[in-house]
């Protein structure tokens, strides 16, 4: 909690960035919650005082809180100035890091937080950064007793906590889950800020780094429990485009961080809590045949250009053109945000008896869903802020020592899902049956 030495519970770093503005609004909204803590002390941080002040003024106007700008601290710091990051970290219990792409700007914040005994939450969807931070800082964070929790936005709280939720709702042992993400857009269409686009470009353009990191880690394979997930439970084939019968939609493998994050969580649960690991695969639905063709052309251009330096420069310079209008430098309008939502459907299978084997077919199925508002700038700030509030208020149910964790590893025993349900990210059981 905040003390004289740590005047702020939360500091939103990068509050004047595109996503940081929404996170700032969400923290202010949390402070207004009559069931929450009105004494939540927090600050915004970034390079420019004037921009930070404007962010607070816009949040005050939007939320009807004219006194907000005078209630929130302002910290001036720069990602290129380690001393300023240290000063920021020393003032906070938790830093909410909104400055990406994280492969370029994330590590200095993690380093400053670990060295100064401060916990840190980010919303990275970049597997290489997330896994690298674990190998470089897990032991140091454990020594300091702080929690470094990545991917605490749309990548990957719905997926990671969704698998844990599904496991808790099956009357037996869950052994395999597949998730299908569906994005629902309104009449104004769908748009994403190009910051996410840049992260994807750099991620795909440097896949060899992630492969090398995993080879160097030399981790012991997690055991496969029950029947191996060789092909999809719900689609006719797995690559590159499949048809999901249950959802009546074509789908493709989801290329974000969800699979990496969920697998790391399942390893943690197996090695530290002696739980049987769950196999996992992730897909995103793409609608009908016309959408499939459009996506294939966009994907072809992306994969071709991302391999070369000049190609990456073109992708970054013209996001709207190469993404067929889905990404832009301006980001979504308020009408687009209001008209967009997501549904993530989980199809799981398992065994009613306690000792599943590879030779026995699964005899239990379960279907769950996580539904919520627009994923990138409404659901992500909700998830990030509720992760922070869980870290502040549910300490007895966190891992006993600090470290670098996935959301599922950090929050599997907490009330995070209950918090998310109250904020509009809803977890529910659709069906459960023995077959």
């Amino acid at each position: 909690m905040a003390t004289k030495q740590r005047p702020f519970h939360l500091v939103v770093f990068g509050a004047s960035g595109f996503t940081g503005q929404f996170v700032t609004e969400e923290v202010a909204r949390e402070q207004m919650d009559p069931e929450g803590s009105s004494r939540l002390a927090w600050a915004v941080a970034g390079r420019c005082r004037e921009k930070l002040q404007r962010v607070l003024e816009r949040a005050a106007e939007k939320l009807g809180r004219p006194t907000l700008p005078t209630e929130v601290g302002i910290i001036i710091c720069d990602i290129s100035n380690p001393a300023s990051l240290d000063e920021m970290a020393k003032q906070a219990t938790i830093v909410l890091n909104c400055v990406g792409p994280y492969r370029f700007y994330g590590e200095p914040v993690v380093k400053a937080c670990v060295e100064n005994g401060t916990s840190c939450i980010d919303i990275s969807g970049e597997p290489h950064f997330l896994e690298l931070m674990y190998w470089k800082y897990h032991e140091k964070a454990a020594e300091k007793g702080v929690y470094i929790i990545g991917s605490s936005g749309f990548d990957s709280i719905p997926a990671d906590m969704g698998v844990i939720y599904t496991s808790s709702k099956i009357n037996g042992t869950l052994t395999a889950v597949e998730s299908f993400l569906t994005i629902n857009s309104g009449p104004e269409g769908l748009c994403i800020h190009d910051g996410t686009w840049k992260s994807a470009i750099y991620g795909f353009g440097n896949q060899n780094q992630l492969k090398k990191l995993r080879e160097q880690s030399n981790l012991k394979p997690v055991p496969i429990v029950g029947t191996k997930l060789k092909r999809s439970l719900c689609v006719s084939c797995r690559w590159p485009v499949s048809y999901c019968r249950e959802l009546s939609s074509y789908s493709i493998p989801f290329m974000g961080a969800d699979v990496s994050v969920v697998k790391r969580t399942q390893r943690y649960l197996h090695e530290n809590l002696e739980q049987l690991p769950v196999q996992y695969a992730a897909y995103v639905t793409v609608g009908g045949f016309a959408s499939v063709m459009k996506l294939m052309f966009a994907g072809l251009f992306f994969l071709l250009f991302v391999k070369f330096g000049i190609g990456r420069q073109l992708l970054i310079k013209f996001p709207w053109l190469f993404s067929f209008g889905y990404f832009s430098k301006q980001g979504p309008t308020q009408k687009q945000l209001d008209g967009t939502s997501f549904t993530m459907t989980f199809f799981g299978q398992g065994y009613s008896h306690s000792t599943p084997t590879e030779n026995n077919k699964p005899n239990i199925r379960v279907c769950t869903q996580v539904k919520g508002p627009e994923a990138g700038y409404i659901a992500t700030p909700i998830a990030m802020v509720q992760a922070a509030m869980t870290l502040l208020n549910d300490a007895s149910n966190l891992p006993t020592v600090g470290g670098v964790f996935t959301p599922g590893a950090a929050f599997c025993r907490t009330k995070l899902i209950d918090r998310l349900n109250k904020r509009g990210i809803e977890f529910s059981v659709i069906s459960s049956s023995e077959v």
Side-chain angles (χ1 to χ4, degrees), residues 375-434:
Y377 313 106
I378 300 180
T380 284
I382 291 172
M384 187 184 210
V385 172
Q386 292 312 311
M389 298 309 297
T390 302
L391 200 55
L392 283 173
N393 297 304
D394 206 356
S396 62
N397 292 315
L398 296 171
T400 53
V401 295
V404 178
F405 297 101
T406 60
F411 300 126
C412 61
R413 293 178 168 179
T414 70
K415 297 180 179 179
L416 175 58
I417 290 177
D418 293 337
R419 290 179 174 275
L420 295 172
N421 275 321
K422 292 178 181 178
R423 297 305 192 280
I425 299 178
E426 301 172 356
F427 292 68
S428 63
V429 177
I430 304 302
S431 65
S432 180
S433 63
E434 189 164 341

Side-chain angles (χ1 to χ4, degrees), residues 24-198:
T24 299
E25 289 179 13
E26 189 59 31
V27 176
R29 199 173 284 113
E30 174 66 28
Q31 191 182 37
M32 294 169 59
D33 181 14
E35 297 182 7
S37 172
S38 59
R39 296 183 297 170
L40 181 69
W42 63 291
V44 292
R47 293 179 295 178
C48 178
R49 180 177 295 275
E50 289 74 20
K51 288 183 179 180
L52 294 170
Q53 189 69 33
R54 285 198 295 270
V55 168
L56 292 175
E57 291 169 356
R58 284 195 294 269
E61 182 178 358
K62 187 173 182 178
L63 300 176
R65 287 186 60 191
T67 61
L68 180 66
T70 63
E71 299 169 359
V72 181
I74 293 179
I75 300 172
I76 305 303
C77 60
D78 192 325
I79 199 73
S80 63
N81 184 343
S84 70
L85 294 178
D86 287 336
E87 287 302 311
M88 173 186 68
K90 289 174 182 177
Q91 298 182 63
T93 303
I94 304 172
V95 169
L96 304 184
N97 183 15
C98 303
V99 180
Y102 291 90
R103 69 165 48 244
F104 299 129
Y105 308 120
E107 184 173 356
V109 180
V110 172
K111 185 173 185 291
C113 286
V114 170
E115 290 182 349
N116 291 282
T118 307
S119 293
C120 180
I121 293 174
D122 70 49
I123 47 177
S124 171
E126 305 165 42
H128 180 261
F129 167 77
L130 295 166
E131 295 181 29
L132 181 63
M133 291 304 96
Y134 173 82
W135 290 112
K136 293 187 72 171
Y137 294 98
H138 179 68
E139 291 184 2
K140 294 179 182 178
E143 290 173 5
K144 290 283 189 174
V146 299
Y147 297 87
I148 308 299
I149 307 172
S151 56
S152 292
F154 183 72
D155 281 22
S156 293
I157 279 183
D160 206 15
M161 299 306 295
V163 172
I164 289 172
Y165 176 83
T166 303
S167 183
S168 72
K169 297 302 179 181
I170 194 170
N171 189 22
T173 301
L174 185 71
T175 58
V177 176
E178 290 178 331
S179 67
F180 289 79
L181 169 64
T182 300
I183 301 295
N184 310 294
S185 60
E188 297 289 325
L190 173 69
C191 183
I192 305 172
H193 190 260
D194 75 330
T196 303
W197 176 253
K198 290 177 182 177

Side-chain angles (χ1 to χ4, degrees), residues 173 223 225 265-278 354 412-413:
T173 301
V225 179
T265 293
Q266 292 304 311
R267 174 180 291 277
Y268 172 86
L269 296 177
H270 174 65
E271 294 179 350
N272 294 274
L273 302 183
E274 298 182 349
Q275 296 184 17
L276 294 178
V278 177
S354 59
C412 61
R413 293 178 168 179

Side-chain angles (χ1 to χ4, degrees), residues 80 88 117 120 126 142-143 155 205 209 222 232 241 251 290 292 308 317 334 337 341 355 367 379 389 395 412 426 430:
S80 63
M88 173 186 68
C120 180
E126 305 165 42
E143 290 173 5
D155 281 22
Q209 292 181 5
V222 172
S232 175
V241 179
S251 65
V292 170
F308 308 100
K317 189 173 183 179
Q334 189 60 50
L337 292 175
S341 63
T355 55
C367 176
M389 298 309 297
C412 61
E426 301 172 356
I430 304 302

